[in-house]
mmCIF file of all heavy atoms in Angstrom:
data_model
loop_
_atom_site.group_PDB
_atom_site.id
_atom_site.type_symbol
_atom_site.label_atom_id
_atom_site.label_comp_id
_atom_site.label_asym_id
_atom_site.label_seq_id
_atom_site.Cartn_x
_atom_site.Cartn_y
_atom_site.Cartn_z
ATOM 1 N N ILE A 185 -23.723 -64.227 -2.806
ATOM 2 C CA ILE A 185 -23.279 -64.069 -1.416
ATOM 3 C C ILE A 185 -21.877 -64.659 -1.269
ATOM 4 O O ILE A 185 -21.620 -65.766 -1.740
ATOM 5 C CB ILE A 185 -24.250 -64.818 -0.457
ATOM 6 C CG1 ILE A 185 -25.684 -64.310 -0.630
ATOM 7 C CG2 ILE A 185 -23.789 -64.711 0.980
ATOM 8 C CD1 ILE A 185 -25.921 -62.893 -0.179
ATOM 9 N N ARG A 186 -20.983 -63.924 -0.604
ATOM 10 C CA ARG A 186 -19.643 -64.461 -0.373
ATOM 11 C C ARG A 186 -19.736 -65.639 0.589
ATOM 12 O O ARG A 186 -20.281 -65.513 1.683
ATOM 13 C CB ARG A 186 -18.685 -63.387 0.145
ATOM 14 C CG ARG A 186 -19.143 -62.710 1.416
ATOM 15 C CD ARG A 186 -18.159 -61.657 1.897
ATOM 16 N NE ARG A 186 -17.903 -60.692 0.847
ATOM 17 C CZ ARG A 186 -16.688 -60.263 0.507
ATOM 18 N NH1 ARG A 186 -15.641 -60.710 1.144
ATOM 19 N NH2 ARG A 186 -16.533 -59.368 -0.423
ATOM 20 N N HIS A 187 -19.225 -66.774 0.167
ATOM 21 C CA HIS A 187 -19.308 -67.986 0.981
ATOM 22 C C HIS A 187 -18.365 -67.851 2.173
ATOM 23 O O HIS A 187 -17.156 -67.739 2.011
ATOM 24 C CB HIS A 187 -18.918 -69.190 0.121
ATOM 25 C CG HIS A 187 -19.026 -70.490 0.841
ATOM 26 N ND1 HIS A 187 -20.221 -71.133 1.021
ATOM 27 C CD2 HIS A 187 -18.096 -71.275 1.425
ATOM 28 C CE1 HIS A 187 -20.017 -72.253 1.686
ATOM 29 N NE2 HIS A 187 -18.738 -72.361 1.947
ATOM 30 N N GLU A 188 -18.924 -67.850 3.378
ATOM 31 C CA GLU A 188 -18.102 -67.663 4.574
ATOM 32 C C GLU A 188 -18.072 -68.951 5.380
ATOM 33 O O GLU A 188 -19.104 -69.448 5.808
ATOM 34 C CB GLU A 188 -18.663 -66.518 5.431
ATOM 35 C CG GLU A 188 -18.443 -65.139 4.811
ATOM 36 C CD GLU A 188 -16.984 -64.685 4.884
ATOM 37 O OE1 GLU A 188 -16.210 -65.256 5.678
ATOM 38 O OE2 GLU A 188 -16.628 -63.746 4.144
ATOM 39 N N ALA A 189 -16.872 -69.494 5.544
ATOM 40 C CA ALA A 189 -16.723 -70.765 6.250
ATOM 41 C C ALA A 189 -15.388 -70.771 6.972
ATOM 42 O O ALA A 189 -14.719 -69.743 7.033
ATOM 43 C CB ALA A 189 -16.814 -71.910 5.256
ATOM 44 N N GLN A 190 -15.010 -71.913 7.502
ATOM 45 C CA GLN A 190 -13.728 -72.025 8.220
ATOM 46 C C GLN A 190 -12.622 -72.224 7.193
ATOM 47 O O GLN A 190 -12.026 -73.295 7.104
ATOM 48 C CB GLN A 190 -13.772 -73.201 9.202
ATOM 49 C CG GLN A 190 -14.972 -73.207 10.115
ATOM 50 C CD GLN A 190 -14.905 -72.112 11.171
ATOM 51 O OE1 GLN A 190 -13.914 -71.405 11.314
ATOM 52 N NE2 GLN A 190 -15.982 -71.952 11.912
ATOM 53 N N THR A 191 -12.328 -71.183 6.425
ATOM 54 C CA THR A 191 -11.410 -71.345 5.296
ATOM 55 C C THR A 191 -9.951 -71.467 5.712
ATOM 56 O O THR A 191 -9.095 -71.664 4.861
ATOM 57 C CB THR A 191 -11.513 -70.153 4.327
ATOM 58 O OG1 THR A 191 -11.391 -68.961 5.105
ATOM 59 C CG2 THR A 191 -12.827 -70.139 3.607
ATOM 60 N N TRP A 192 -9.657 -71.331 7.000
ATOM 61 C CA TRP A 192 -8.257 -71.360 7.428
ATOM 62 C C TRP A 192 -7.653 -72.749 7.326
ATOM 63 O O TRP A 192 -6.434 -72.895 7.317
ATOM 64 C CB TRP A 192 -8.119 -70.838 8.859
ATOM 65 C CG TRP A 192 -9.122 -71.411 9.802
ATOM 66 C CD1 TRP A 192 -10.327 -70.859 10.140
ATOM 67 C CD2 TRP A 192 -9.054 -72.658 10.520
ATOM 68 N NE1 TRP A 192 -10.994 -71.681 11.014
ATOM 69 C CE2 TRP A 192 -10.226 -72.783 11.268
ATOM 70 C CE3 TRP A 192 -8.097 -73.660 10.602
ATOM 71 C CZ2 TRP A 192 -10.493 -73.884 12.093
ATOM 72 C CZ3 TRP A 192 -8.357 -74.758 11.413
ATOM 73 C CH2 TRP A 192 -9.546 -74.857 12.147
ATOM 74 N N GLY A 193 -8.468 -73.786 7.246
ATOM 75 C CA GLY A 193 -7.901 -75.135 7.252
ATOM 76 C C GLY A 193 -7.644 -75.641 5.847
ATOM 77 O O GLY A 193 -8.503 -75.526 4.986
ATOM 78 N N SER A 194 -6.449 -76.207 5.638
ATOM 79 C CA SER A 194 -6.161 -76.704 4.285
ATOM 80 C C SER A 194 -7.007 -77.930 3.974
ATOM 81 O O SER A 194 -7.136 -78.335 2.836
ATOM 82 C CB SER A 194 -4.681 -77.036 4.149
ATOM 83 O OG SER A 194 -4.340 -78.011 5.098
ATOM 84 N N ASP A 195 -7.601 -78.532 5.016
ATOM 85 C CA ASP A 195 -8.467 -79.691 4.774
ATOM 86 C C ASP A 195 -9.945 -79.326 4.941
ATOM 87 O O ASP A 195 -10.767 -80.160 5.272
ATOM 88 C CB ASP A 195 -8.089 -80.834 5.720
ATOM 89 C CG ASP A 195 -8.185 -80.417 7.179
ATOM 90 O OD1 ASP A 195 -8.108 -79.201 7.462
ATOM 91 O OD2 ASP A 195 -8.349 -81.293 8.052
ATOM 92 N N HIS A 196 -10.246 -78.040 4.770
ATOM 93 C CA HIS A 196 -11.647 -77.613 4.834
ATOM 94 C C HIS A 196 -12.083 -77.179 3.439
ATOM 95 O O HIS A 196 -11.700 -76.114 2.977
ATOM 96 C CB HIS A 196 -11.816 -76.427 5.791
ATOM 97 C CG HIS A 196 -11.428 -76.741 7.199
ATOM 98 N ND1 HIS A 196 -11.400 -75.795 8.182
ATOM 99 C CD2 HIS A 196 -11.067 -77.901 7.791
ATOM 100 C CE1 HIS A 196 -11.025 -76.365 9.324
ATOM 101 N NE2 HIS A 196 -10.808 -77.641 9.109
ATOM 102 N N ALA A 197 -12.864 -78.002 2.804
ATOM 103 C CA ALA A 197 -13.318 -77.669 1.458
ATOM 104 C C ALA A 197 -14.576 -76.814 1.546
ATOM 105 O O ALA A 197 -15.308 -76.902 2.525
ATOM 106 C CB ALA A 197 -13.606 -78.947 0.688
ATOM 107 N N PRO A 198 -14.812 -75.964 0.545
ATOM 108 C CA PRO A 198 -16.021 -75.137 0.588
ATOM 109 C C PRO A 198 -17.289 -75.999 0.586
ATOM 110 O O PRO A 198 -17.371 -76.966 -0.171
ATOM 111 C CB PRO A 198 -15.935 -74.286 -0.678
ATOM 112 C CG PRO A 198 -14.869 -74.875 -1.511
ATOM 113 C CD PRO A 198 -13.988 -75.685 -0.631
ATOM 114 N N GLU A 199 -18.245 -75.652 1.429
ATOM 115 C CA GLU A 199 -19.474 -76.439 1.585
ATOM 116 C C GLU A 199 -20.463 -76.016 0.504
ATOM 117 O O GLU A 199 -21.460 -75.344 0.784
ATOM 118 C CB GLU A 199 -20.072 -76.213 2.974
ATOM 119 C CG GLU A 199 -19.137 -76.571 4.125
ATOM 120 C CD GLU A 199 -18.108 -75.495 4.447
ATOM 121 O OE1 GLU A 199 -18.026 -74.483 3.720
ATOM 122 O OE2 GLU A 199 -17.379 -75.658 5.432
ATOM 123 N N ILE A 200 -20.137 -76.393 -0.719
ATOM 124 C CA ILE A 200 -20.938 -75.946 -1.848
ATOM 125 C C ILE A 200 -21.269 -77.144 -2.714
ATOM 126 O O ILE A 200 -20.417 -78.003 -2.941
ATOM 127 C CB ILE A 200 -20.170 -74.867 -2.644
ATOM 128 C CG1 ILE A 200 -20.296 -73.542 -1.894
ATOM 129 C CG2 ILE A 200 -20.707 -74.718 -4.069
ATOM 130 C CD1 ILE A 200 -19.533 -72.421 -2.465
ATOM 131 N N ASP A 201 -22.517 -77.205 -3.173
ATOM 132 C CA ASP A 201 -22.917 -78.275 -4.084
ATOM 133 C C ASP A 201 -23.102 -77.665 -5.465
ATOM 134 O O ASP A 201 -23.987 -76.845 -5.672
ATOM 135 C CB ASP A 201 -24.221 -78.909 -3.581
ATOM 136 C CG ASP A 201 -24.624 -80.092 -4.429
ATOM 137 O OD1 ASP A 201 -23.983 -80.326 -5.475
ATOM 138 O OD2 ASP A 201 -25.580 -80.788 -4.056
ATOM 139 N N VAL A 202 -22.227 -78.061 -6.374
ATOM 140 C CA VAL A 202 -22.248 -77.466 -7.717
ATOM 141 C C VAL A 202 -23.560 -77.753 -8.448
ATOM 142 O O VAL A 202 -23.961 -77.004 -9.322
ATOM 143 C CB VAL A 202 -21.052 -77.978 -8.546
ATOM 144 C CG1 VAL A 202 -21.006 -77.320 -9.916
ATOM 145 C CG2 VAL A 202 -19.757 -77.680 -7.808
ATOM 146 N N SER A 203 -24.248 -78.832 -8.055
ATOM 147 C CA SER A 203 -25.481 -79.138 -8.775
ATOM 148 C C SER A 203 -26.565 -78.087 -8.516
ATOM 149 O O SER A 203 -27.601 -78.106 -9.156
ATOM 150 C CB SER A 203 -25.973 -80.542 -8.444
ATOM 151 O OG SER A 203 -26.209 -80.670 -7.079
ATOM 152 N N GLN A 204 -26.306 -77.161 -7.601
ATOM 153 C CA GLN A 204 -27.238 -76.044 -7.411
ATOM 154 C C GLN A 204 -26.937 -74.892 -8.360
ATOM 155 O O GLN A 204 -27.614 -73.867 -8.322
ATOM 156 C CB GLN A 204 -27.156 -75.521 -5.969
ATOM 157 C CG GLN A 204 -27.666 -76.494 -4.931
ATOM 158 C CD GLN A 204 -27.688 -75.896 -3.533
ATOM 159 O OE1 GLN A 204 -26.902 -75.012 -3.212
ATOM 160 N NE2 GLN A 204 -28.585 -76.370 -2.691
ATOM 161 N N SER A 205 -25.919 -75.043 -9.200
ATOM 162 C CA SER A 205 -25.492 -73.917 -10.027
ATOM 163 C C SER A 205 -25.752 -74.155 -11.502
ATOM 164 O O SER A 205 -25.750 -75.288 -11.965
ATOM 165 C CB SER A 205 -24.006 -73.645 -9.828
ATOM 166 O OG SER A 205 -23.731 -73.467 -8.479
ATOM 167 N N GLU A 206 -25.955 -73.058 -12.203
ATOM 168 C CA GLU A 206 -26.194 -73.148 -13.630
ATOM 169 C C GLU A 206 -24.960 -72.729 -14.430
ATOM 170 O O GLU A 206 -24.706 -73.257 -15.497
ATOM 171 C CB GLU A 206 -27.356 -72.245 -14.003
ATOM 172 C CG GLU A 206 -27.686 -72.297 -15.471
ATOM 173 C CD GLU A 206 -29.172 -72.434 -15.703
ATOM 174 O OE1 GLU A 206 -29.834 -71.389 -15.780
ATOM 175 O OE2 GLU A 206 -29.671 -73.552 -15.782
ATOM 176 N N ASN A 207 -24.220 -71.768 -13.926
ATOM 177 C CA ASN A 207 -22.934 -71.500 -14.563
ATOM 178 C C ASN A 207 -21.922 -71.005 -13.555
ATOM 179 O O ASN A 207 -22.257 -70.532 -12.479
ATOM 180 C CB ASN A 207 -23.050 -70.574 -15.780
ATOM 181 C CG ASN A 207 -23.589 -69.227 -15.409
ATOM 182 O OD1 ASN A 207 -22.969 -68.535 -14.619
ATOM 183 N ND2 ASN A 207 -24.741 -68.864 -15.947
ATOM 184 N N VAL A 208 -20.670 -71.202 -13.904
ATOM 185 C CA VAL A 208 -19.569 -70.912 -12.999
ATOM 186 C C VAL A 208 -18.563 -70.034 -13.724
ATOM 187 O O VAL A 208 -18.195 -70.327 -14.857
ATOM 188 C CB VAL A 208 -18.855 -72.218 -12.575
ATOM 189 C CG1 VAL A 208 -17.720 -71.915 -11.638
ATOM 190 C CG2 VAL A 208 -19.830 -73.168 -11.924
ATOM 191 N N THR A 209 -18.153 -68.964 -13.088
ATOM 192 C CA THR A 209 -17.162 -68.064 -13.673
ATOM 193 C C THR A 209 -15.985 -67.955 -12.715
ATOM 194 O O THR A 209 -16.188 -67.878 -11.505
ATOM 195 C CB THR A 209 -17.760 -66.653 -13.861
ATOM 196 O OG1 THR A 209 -19.008 -66.783 -14.518
ATOM 197 C CG2 THR A 209 -16.849 -65.751 -14.663
ATOM 198 N N VAL A 210 -14.793 -67.946 -13.268
ATOM 199 C CA VAL A 210 -13.626 -67.675 -12.439
ATOM 200 C C VAL A 210 -13.037 -66.342 -12.888
ATOM 201 O O VAL A 210 -12.729 -66.168 -14.068
ATOM 202 C CB VAL A 210 -12.574 -68.794 -12.550
ATOM 203 C CG1 VAL A 210 -11.284 -68.380 -11.866
ATOM 204 C CG2 VAL A 210 -13.107 -70.073 -11.930
ATOM 205 N N VAL A 211 -12.946 -65.411 -11.966
ATOM 206 C CA VAL A 211 -12.335 -64.114 -12.267
ATOM 207 C C VAL A 211 -10.880 -64.227 -11.838
ATOM 208 O O VAL A 211 -10.579 -64.375 -10.663
ATOM 209 C CB VAL A 211 -13.029 -62.977 -11.492
ATOM 210 C CG1 VAL A 211 -12.464 -61.630 -11.909
ATOM 211 C CG2 VAL A 211 -14.532 -63.018 -11.723
ATOM 212 N N LYS A 212 -9.988 -64.180 -12.819
ATOM 213 C CA LYS A 212 -8.573 -64.358 -12.498
ATOM 214 C C LYS A 212 -7.889 -63.034 -12.230
ATOM 215 O O LYS A 212 -6.878 -62.976 -11.563
ATOM 216 C CB LYS A 212 -7.859 -65.055 -13.667
ATOM 217 C CG LYS A 212 -8.384 -66.448 -13.992
ATOM 218 C CD LYS A 212 -7.679 -66.954 -15.244
ATOM 219 C CE LYS A 212 -8.137 -68.341 -15.644
ATOM 220 N NZ LYS A 212 -7.513 -68.747 -16.919
ATOM 221 N N GLY A 213 -8.424 -61.981 -12.812
ATOM 222 C CA GLY A 213 -7.744 -60.689 -12.746
ATOM 223 C C GLY A 213 -7.957 -59.987 -11.426
ATOM 224 O O GLY A 213 -8.597 -60.493 -10.512
ATOM 225 N N ALA A 214 -7.390 -58.813 -11.338
ATOM 226 C CA ALA A 214 -7.490 -58.003 -10.133
ATOM 227 C C ALA A 214 -8.945 -57.604 -9.927
ATOM 228 O O ALA A 214 -9.522 -56.906 -10.733
ATOM 229 C CB ALA A 214 -6.619 -56.768 -10.286
ATOM 230 N N SER A 215 -9.541 -58.085 -8.865
ATOM 231 C CA SER A 215 -10.949 -57.776 -8.647
ATOM 232 C C SER A 215 -11.221 -57.457 -7.187
ATOM 233 O O SER A 215 -12.356 -57.324 -6.768
ATOM 234 C CB SER A 215 -11.813 -58.949 -9.087
ATOM 235 O OG SER A 215 -11.333 -60.136 -8.503
#
Side-chain angles (χ1 to χ4, degrees):
Chain A
I185 303 292
R186 57 180 55 226
H187 182 80
E188 288 287 343
Q190 309 289 354
T191 51
W192 46 266
S194 59
D195 58 337
H196 299 175
E199 302 81 355
I200 281 176
D201 184 352
V202 183
S203 59
Q204 292 185 332
S205 306
E206 181 134 89
N207 62 61
V208 180
T209 310
V210 171
V211 185
K212 299 175 180 175
S215 51

